[in-house]
């Protein structure tokens, strides 16, 4: 019997507990979000993050900068937030305008306030298996889902499709730290289905509808679908052919309602963890 | 026909070219090595590194500190070298005495002088696929060997056994950056041979004689043996049952004389690369 992994329930439980903890704080965690330009999708994401932070009783700062903002001025603004004791977590909404180097911006954010966990220093700590005070949001959310449903990771063969720096690469590192055997597949991978068939846990983070089909997975596989694709009919779908794959899977995440809710949940937990870390120094 | 991968030849060619380049420099690259305590193996390694550096026309500094050196005093010494314009590369010989935290020491070395590429910032840059000014020595040496023998990496399934921070983990990241599909196996991996049989390129970095046997590999596999084990009879051997595996392999590294010579070679190239980087700033 296939079990559906419900990210809405897990995220709600985590955030309800977090809200309760925040109630008893005399200081409030503060998340600062910078958005440059007028990308409408970015504005929606930023507002969602602000709304969620306020719901939890966090302080939320949103800094909107014009499209033409100079890289230098953005860096100055970030450094101002780095040294602001009232700000615990800093997020610069991506994508940035073409004239700004995103890597340079990511490295400007203090690792101790790097709520997305994009800074090379924080990425490196995860890569060497060192405990970090912050973890990348979506991978962290995926590990939480597996833990919530008592899905053992140690000794399992986890196959990750997609090598982005937001999901695939850091997730592979975190799964290694959880003692899984990990295969990382990507656009240059040959006979993908030969590899996916060997997966105990299959995570797809590509952004391609129906990339993972029934004949590519073994019976009992655990499927985590990070894809979020908008079809012509307006419907959302993941990377996995859900209808045909679900009956072979022991566990599977729906899209929407699977991994999605966990990402913003992890962002809030990260904000709180950074707050606690900074107040423990 | 199996081809032997000769690390001695490749390393010699790289180092000969490097020595020629150094001849024409008016400043010389400088490698500083710190050794704490009296571990005899460590002393041998440090002397080898010093000897090689001097052969190349580098400047070499070896700082020997007593076993009882305080962590704080070691950190002070490293910071002194960080700010010394005449020192381009800093290496602290591991292992350190129990009372010193190696991670803390690694993080004290300036990333711009981190010749071993152990600093989380440098590790992270490799993990996000960003060009780094320095790469971990043994993985870098392995990539060089594959390149030298025109062994294509892109699209190949590379299976790495062993998840150390010196070889297995960073090598996996570098192979992903070279567009290989990568599986990282380790002590918790189940049915290892099922996975190794699918490898186009198999790298073993565990330190266990005869870990990889004939029945664990497919015909035509490329085998890179990072193991360096001393048998009771005094002989050196790798992780691979060389005699029985070699006829199935298209390429294979012997032990000794395979990967071994590449590690110190990479260390020298890293020293030179850091020198060039610092002089380009």
């Amino acid at each position: 019997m296939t079990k559906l992994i419900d990210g809405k329930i897990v995220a709600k439980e985590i955030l309800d507990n977090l809200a309760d903890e925040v109630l008893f704080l005399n200081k409030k965690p503060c998340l600062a979000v910078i958005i440059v330009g007028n990308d409408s999708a970015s504005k929606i994401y930023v507002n969602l993050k602000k709304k969620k932070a306020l719901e939890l009783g966090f302080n939320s700062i949103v800094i909107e900068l014009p499209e033409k903002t100079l890289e230098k001025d953005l860096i100055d603004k970030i450094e101002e937030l780095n040294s602001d004791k009232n700000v615990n977590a800093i997020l610069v909404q991506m994508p940035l305008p073409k004239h700004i180097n995103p890597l340079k911006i990511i490295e400007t954010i203090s690792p101790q306030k790097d709520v997305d966990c994009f800074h090379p220093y924080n990425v490196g700590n995860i890569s060497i298996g060192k405990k970090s005070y912050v973890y990348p949001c979506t991978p962290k959310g995926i590990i939480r889902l597996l833990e919530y449903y008592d899905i053992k990771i140690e000794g399992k063969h986890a196959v990750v499709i997609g090598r982005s720096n937001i999901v695939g690469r850091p997730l592979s590192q975190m799964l290694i730290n959880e003692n899984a055997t990990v295969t990382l597949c990507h656009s240059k991978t040959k006979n993908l289905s030969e590899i996916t068939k060997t997966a105990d846990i299959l995570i797809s983070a590509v952004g391609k509808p129906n990339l993972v089909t029934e004949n590519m997975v073994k019976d009992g596989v655990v499927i985590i679908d990070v894809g979020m694709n908008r079809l012509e009919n307006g419907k959302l779908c993941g990377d996995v052919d859900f209808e045909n794959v679900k009956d072979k899977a022991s566990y599977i995440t729906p899209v929407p309602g699977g991994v999605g809710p966990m990402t913003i949940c992890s962002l809030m937990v990260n904000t709180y963890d950074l707050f606690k870390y900074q107040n423990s120094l």
Side-chain angles (χ1 to χ4, degrees), chain A:
Chain A
M1 237 296 275
T2 307
K3 284 192 81 173
L4 212 61
I5 295 178
D6 188 333
K8 293 192 300 303
I9 287 178
V10 181
K12 184 177 187 311
E13 193 172 305
I14 292 168
L15 292 175
D16 287 349
N17 294 334
L18 184 51
D20 291 346
E21 287 191 50
V22 174
L23 273 181
F24 296 97
L25 300 170
N26 35 28
K27 275 171 68 183
K28 302 298 179 194
C30 176
L31 170 64
V33 179
I34 302 179
I35 176 169
V36 184
N38 305 309
D39 181 76
S40 54
S42 293
K43 285 192 169 180
I44 293 169
Y45 297 137
V46 168
N47 284 327
L48 278 174
K49 291 164 186 175
K50 177 186 179 181
K51 185 165 163 288
K52 188 63 72 178
L54 293 174
E55 278 174 21
L56 288 167
F58 291 177
N59 294 328
S60 167
I61 300 171
V62 174
I63 297 157
E64 295 180 301
L65 300 174
E67 182 79 22
K68 295 201 163 356
T69 302
L70 297 175
E71 185 176 83
K72 181 197 152 303
D73 295 337
L74 177 55
I75 287 172
D76 290 346
K77 172 52 74 177
I78 292 168
E79 279 166 353
E80 187 187 313
L81 296 171
N82 282 342
S83 50
D84 183 341
K85 291 213 166 348
N86 297 318
V87 172
N88 307 109
I90 302 170
L91 183 156
V92 177
Q93 185 65 44
M94 299 291 166
L96 288 163
K98 296 268 170 298
H99 64 280
I100 299 177
N101 176 351
L103 282 177
K104 201 164 166 190
I105 297 308
I106 284 166
E107 292 200 14
T108 305
I109 300 170
S110 160
Q112 284 75 30
K113 297 189 175 186
D114 172 33
V115 70
D116 271 327
C117 195
F118 289 163
H119 193 292
Y121 174 80
N122 289 330
V123 172
N125 276 328
I126 291 166
S127 297
I128 64 175
K130 185 180 153 197
K131 201 176 177 315
S132 176
Y133 36 72
V134 67
Y135 292 89
C137 295
T138 303
K140 177 179 182 159
I142 290 166
I143 303 275
R144 287 283 198 113
L145 284 178
L146 295 171
E147 287 169 348
Y148 186 92
Y149 285 90
D150 286 321
I151 297 165
K152 195 160 168 284
I153 300 173
E154 175 165 322
K156 298 295 178 67
H157 184 199
V159 174
V160 178
I161 314 174
R163 56 177 160 172
S164 77
N165 287 328
I166 301 172
V167 185
R169 286 176 183 250
L171 177 60
S172 307
Q173 299 297 309
M174 289 165 71
L175 289 167
I176 284 289
N177 294 342
E178 297 288 333
N179 294 321
T181 301
V182 178
T183 301
L184 183 52
C185 302
H186 46 77
S187 54
K188 296 287 193 296
T189 295
K190 290 173 180 163
N191 25 45
L192 178 63
S193 62
E194 289 311 306
I195 295 169
T196 55
K197 270 183 209 152
T198 67
D200 302 310
I201 302 172
L202 179 61
I203 300 115
S204 185
V206 174
K208 196 170 165 190
N210 298 317
L211 173 69
V212 177
T213 54
E214 186 183 0
N215 59 345
M216 290 171 68
V217 302
K218 72 179 180 187
D219 286 318
V221 63
V222 173
I223 294 197
I224 305 292
D225 191 347
V226 189
M228 180 67 79
N229 313 295
R230 179 78 61 182
L231 299 175
E232 286 175 353
N233 62 19
K235 268 194 176 172
L236 276 179
C237 77
D239 294 346
V240 178
D241 176 6
F242 185 87
E243 276 317 310
N244 297 305
V245 169
K246 70 177 197 306
D247 297 332
K248 284 180 91 174
S250 56
Y251 291 86
I252 188 167
T253 58
V255 176
V259 174
M262 297 304 292
T263 299
I264 190 161
C265 170
S266 298
L267 184 70
M268 297 301 136
V269 174
N270 278 352
T271 301
Y272 184 57
D273 288 345
L274 291 173
F275 167 84
K276 282 190 299 184
Y277 174 75
Q278 289 159 32
N279 285 281
S280 71
L281 294 178

